[in-house]
């Protein structure tokens, strides 16, 4: 009886200990995700991202391998970190449609971080886990940027780094390499902490820690040499470009109920710019960029809208890139940017190719309308085609409309096709006074470095901005205020390494992840067999 009683007490104590450890690991995982969130704009705490990764890596390694985790536990801790990250990152989605879409998306994206947790547990079985775990992050980040419905790259680790030391990595391998650099810094930090806490730490972790440390130091040392986006190029020329922020009558999903008022706002600001040019207060622009939805009245079908746009273009003496919604013969819409050049009227155009599921269109509409009355408010937009370049007035503009800026392939195609600068027409009025616009601006800054191009962001309600090729914000506008930004913009034809490599850099990272994790599994099975 005494033995059975003792065994029961020991079992209870063991169970309580496991529960305490699981609770602590879950809390630390959530904290790791929260640190990654806190690294994103509008905050400039970019250094918190690697600390968040380090915290999650410590959990997945069982705090240095003392308590090996199961794959199931890795998935749970990864999901917890994902929730700690995505729940506070994405509330702008539910501002006008309620919490269900916001929380549903946060949970769905957290599943991918849960998959990282599984792969992280596998990686932890190797002595080289700092590298293979960072590669696993790259693999899962690519996956969630690709599926389902075309993926959702929002919140990529690199998108929170426009102020970070590793930003120049974007010019070498794009956003994927920048994310990997941040993840490697985090896992390397975790490896140093593990090594310092173990008696045999220096000996058993010498190789991986040294390799990670040397790689990080080398990257930081070489980046100033490799990163030359702000240096003059032989093929450069300079033009003057204006970004018009006309603002909207009111915020919310029904902001465009007063479509004529939105168009009038942008015409009025452009006319004001023309007056400033005539008075010598502003330089004459070579091109004017209007935001997405600046004219939700189809100017190809509505003579009044066409007349207003023509008058604005003639007055300012420059073509206008007009963000508009076109009505197709079958009743669908395209989200378009049209080059409108004075009395010559419409020229080349970009029809948005990567359209937003559950916003611009609704997959499985009949199913989702069972859960929300807002389902029927989703649009009937269809994707366009083309290479994303619009030429007008002797200038080749690479266009990524709003949501498209999050996807690597959008601007990669346009810059390789001859875009000399990048225009990001966007409409953030449907998301209210939230962090969304700052998160999107951060992506634009990363894209500027990635492709070595000046980026002009024109937003209906803000923030509009002029971003230099090195990612520096040269000018920006306040939220919810009509404004016009005018700046000299460098036009370039040369390509960065990242643009030349395209998807190749991410492919290498993903293949390296598969190879590293596969090798770990093979070695583990051989050890078990012997």
């Amino acid at each position: 009886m005494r033995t059975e009683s003792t065994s029961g007490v020991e079992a209870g104590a063991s169970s309580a200990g496991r529960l305490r450890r699981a609770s602590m690991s879950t809390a630390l995982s959530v904290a790791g995700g929260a640190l990654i969130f806190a690294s994103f704009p509008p905050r400039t705490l970019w250094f918190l991202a690697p600390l968040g990764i380090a915290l999650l890596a410590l959990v997945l390694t069982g705090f240095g391998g003392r308590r090996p985790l199961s794959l199931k536990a890795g998935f749970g801790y990864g999901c917890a970190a994902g929730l700690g990250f995505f729940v506070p990152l994405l509330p702008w989605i539910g501002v006008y449609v309620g919490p269900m879409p916001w929380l549903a998306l946060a949970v769905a994206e957290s599943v991918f971080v849960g998959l990282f947790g599984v792969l992280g547990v596998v990686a932890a079985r190797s002595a080289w886990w700092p590298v293979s775990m960072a590669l696993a992050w790259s693999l899962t980040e690519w996956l969630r940027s690709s599926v389902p419905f075309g993926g959702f790259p929002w919140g990529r680790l690199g998108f929170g780094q426009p102020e970070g030391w590793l930003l120049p990595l974007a010019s070498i391998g794009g956003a994927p390499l920048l994310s990997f650099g941040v993840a490697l810094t985090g896992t390397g930090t975790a490896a140093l902490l593990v090594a310092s806490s173990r008696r045999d730490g220096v000996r058993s972790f010498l190789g991986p820690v040294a390799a990670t440390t040397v790689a990080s130091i080398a990257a930081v040392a070489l980046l100033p040499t490799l990163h030359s986006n702000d240096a003059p190029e032989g093929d450069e020329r300079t033009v003057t470009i204006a970004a018009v922020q006309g603002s909207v009558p009111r915020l919310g999903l029904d902001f465009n109920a007063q479509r004529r008022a939105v168009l009038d706002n942008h015409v009025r600001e452009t006319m004001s710019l023309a007056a400033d040019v005539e008075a010598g207060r502003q330089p004459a622009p070579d091109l004017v960029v209007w935001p997405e939805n600046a004219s939700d009245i189809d100017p190809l079908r509505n003579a009044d809208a066409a007349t207003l746009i023509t008058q604005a273009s003639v007055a300012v003496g420059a073509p206008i890139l007009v963000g508009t919604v076109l009505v197709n013969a079958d009743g669908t819409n395209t989200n378009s940017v049209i080059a409108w050049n004075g009395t010559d009227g419409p020229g080349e155009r970009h029809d948005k190719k990567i359209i937003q599921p559950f916003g611009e269109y609704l997959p499985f509409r009949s199913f989702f309308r069972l859960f929300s009355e807002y389902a029927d408010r989703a649009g009937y937009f269809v994707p366009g085609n083309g290479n994303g370049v619009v030429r007008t007035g002797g200038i080749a503009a690479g266009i990524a409309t709003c949501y498209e800026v999050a996807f690597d392939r959008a601007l990669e195609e346009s810059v390789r096709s001859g875009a000399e600068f990048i225009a990001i027409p966007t409409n953030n009025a449907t998301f209210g006074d939230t962090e969304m616009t700052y998160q999107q601006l951060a992506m634009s800054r990363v894209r500027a470095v990635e492709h070595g191009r000046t980026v002009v962001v024109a937003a209906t309600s803000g923030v509009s901005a002029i971003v230099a090729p090195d990612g520096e914000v040269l000018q920006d506008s306040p939220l919810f205020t009509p404004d016009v930004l005018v700046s000299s913009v460098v036009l370039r034809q040369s390509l960065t390494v990242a643009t030349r490599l395209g998807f190749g850099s991410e492919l290498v990272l993903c293949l390296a992840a598969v190879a590293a994790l596969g090798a770990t599994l093979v070695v583990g099975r051989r050890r078990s067999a012997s």
Side-chain angles (χ1 to χ4, degrees), residues 237 239 286 319 341 390-397 420 491 493:
R237 61 192 178 102
V239 297
D286 297 290
N341 194 357
V390 173
R391 292 176 172 83
T392 184
I395 300 171
E420 298 171 301
L491 303 182
Q493 296 177 358

Side-chain angles (χ1 to χ4, degrees), residues 4 10 71 107 121 138-139 196 212 251 348 366 376 393 426 460 462:
E4 292 177 358
E10 292 176 350
L71 299 183
V107 170
V121 169
S138 294
L139 180 60
S196 65
T212 304
L251 302 179
E348 293 188 13
S366 59
D376 288 326
T426 183
T460 50

Side-chain angles (χ1 to χ4, degrees), residues 54 56 62 65 73 153 159 169 316 333 342 355 389 392 401 428 522:
L56 180 56
F159 288 156
L169 281 176
V316 80
N333 301 110
I355 56 178
V389 179
T392 184
T401 303
N428 300 330
V522 169

Side-chain angles (χ1 to χ4, degrees), residues 131-136 138-139 180 504-520:
V131 177
S132 56
M133 192 176 290
L135 288 169
S138 294
L139 180 60
F180 172 72
S505 60
E506 190 163 37
L507 179 61
V508 168
L509 290 170
C510 291
L511 291 177
V514 172
L517 295 168
T520 299

Side-chain angles (χ1 to χ4, degrees), residues 308-323:
L308 286 170
I309 297 169
T310 297
Q311 290 174 350
S313 179
V314 169
V316 80
I320 302 174
L321 296 180
V322 179

Side-chain angles (χ1 to χ4, degrees), residues 266-297:
H266 289 87
V267 170
R268 182 179 62 251
E269 292 303 312
T270 305
M271 291 294 193
S272 177
L273 170 61
D276 287 343
V277 170
E278 186 176 359
R281 292 187 293 269
Q282 289 281 19
D286 297 290
L287 180 66
V288 176
V289 182
W290 281 7
E292 178 188 30
N293 300 121
S295 176
D296 272 358
I297 303 172

Side-chain angles (χ1 to χ4, degrees), residues 29-92:
S29 297
V30 173
L35 285 174
I36 299 174
F37 158 71
S39 73
F40 273 68
R43 294 160 295 277
T44 56
L45 305 175
W46 52 269
F47 51 87
L48 294 181
L51 294 181
I53 294 291
L55 200 56
L56 180 56
L58 288 173
V59 172
L60 296 178
T61 59
F63 301 94
R66 292 189 179 94
R67 297 183 295 275
L69 299 183
S70 66
L71 299 183
K72 182 178 178 181
F75 179 76
Y77 296 140
C79 285
L83 291 172
F85 174 42
F86 286 110
V87 169
L89 186 77
L90 302 176
W92 46 269

